[in-house]
Amino acid sequence: MKKSLRFIIGLACLSLLTACSTQDKMTKTELSKDKKSLIDKKKDKMSTKDSTVMTDKKTDKMVNKGPLAADFELKAVDGKTYRLSDFRGKKVYLKFWASWCSICLSTLADTEALAKQTDKDYVVLTVVSPGHKGEKNEANFKKWFAGTEYKNLPVLLDPDGKLLNAYGVRSYPTEVFIGSDGVLAKKHIGYAKKSDIEKNLKAIK
């Protein structure tokens, strides 16, 4: 009787030990699976992150140093609408001037010559703000400009003066050089020779 009881108890213990051992094995297997799953997820996450960074670099590659130039949408004296964003991929020479500014008037011929050049990798735009900083109102400016000889000079009108503020224009002439990536690469205040403007345009990308 005692031997039978011992035998049964022995079998029960063996059974318990076997069960614990199997449970441990299952736990290790599950942990191993969980660990593998976490590693795979981490790899996927890293892969996605790297892909995003590479995509960003391809689509928004900055080649010039500086802040992004403020975008704008302005009408010119000829009625056309100009948006800075339309010229992404080309350099932009942006000149702020006024009809009363003698230095501005003395350099308009050079500015128009730059605008008329063919096979260039840049665009020339000029900006006048009627009713601001001593400039005529819009109607009088248009009338005055129609009497000038500059028929191939894009003159954008900034009647609200918003672009003056966006580019921090405090005196005339002020010229801004915007890279093909939309970055405000350089700003110059005062007189500038045509050759110097061309050098600056070549220096930026």
Side-chain angles (χ1 to χ4, degrees), residues 64-121:
N64 294 286
K65 290 182 180 179
L68 279 174
D71 201 0
F72 56 78
E73 182 177 324
L74 298 174
K75 275 195 175 182
V77 291
D78 59 3
K80 290 181 184 177
T81 298
Y82 290 81
R83 299 175 190 84
L84 180 61
S85 54
D86 288 344
F87 301 108
R88 192 73 182 253
K90 275 199 167 188
K91 304 170 192 177
V92 176
Y93 171 63
L94 192 62
K95 180 175 183 173
F96 293 86
W97 64 283
S99 62
W100 53 262
C101 170
S102 57
I103 297 174
C104 300
L105 298 181
S106 70
T107 57
L108 283 185
D110 285 345
T111 308
E112 186 178 49
L114 287 168
K116 286 167 68 177
Q117 280 183 8
T118 56
D119 299 325
K120 59 184 187 290
D121 61 350

Side-chain angles (χ1 to χ4, degrees), residues 59-64 68-69 84-93 121-123 177-185 201 204-205:
T59 54
D60 296 321
K61 190 175 181 183
M62 298 299 175
V63 291
N64 294 286
L68 279 174
L84 180 61
S85 54
D86 288 344
F87 301 108
R88 192 73 182 253
K90 275 199 167 188
K91 304 170 192 177
V92 176
Y93 171 63
D121 61 350
Y122 60 86
V123 175
F177 297 87
I178 301 168
S180 59
D181 52 2
V183 167
L184 200 165
L201 284 167
I204 66 173
K205 296 176 182 178

Side-chain angles (χ1 to χ4, degrees), residues 130-147:
H132 295 272
K133 296 187 181 296
E135 185 53 84
K136 302 171 173 67
N137 63 39
E138 189 171 330
N140 286 336
F141 175 81
K142 283 181 176 179
K143 186 178 178 181
W144 170 82
F145 188 73

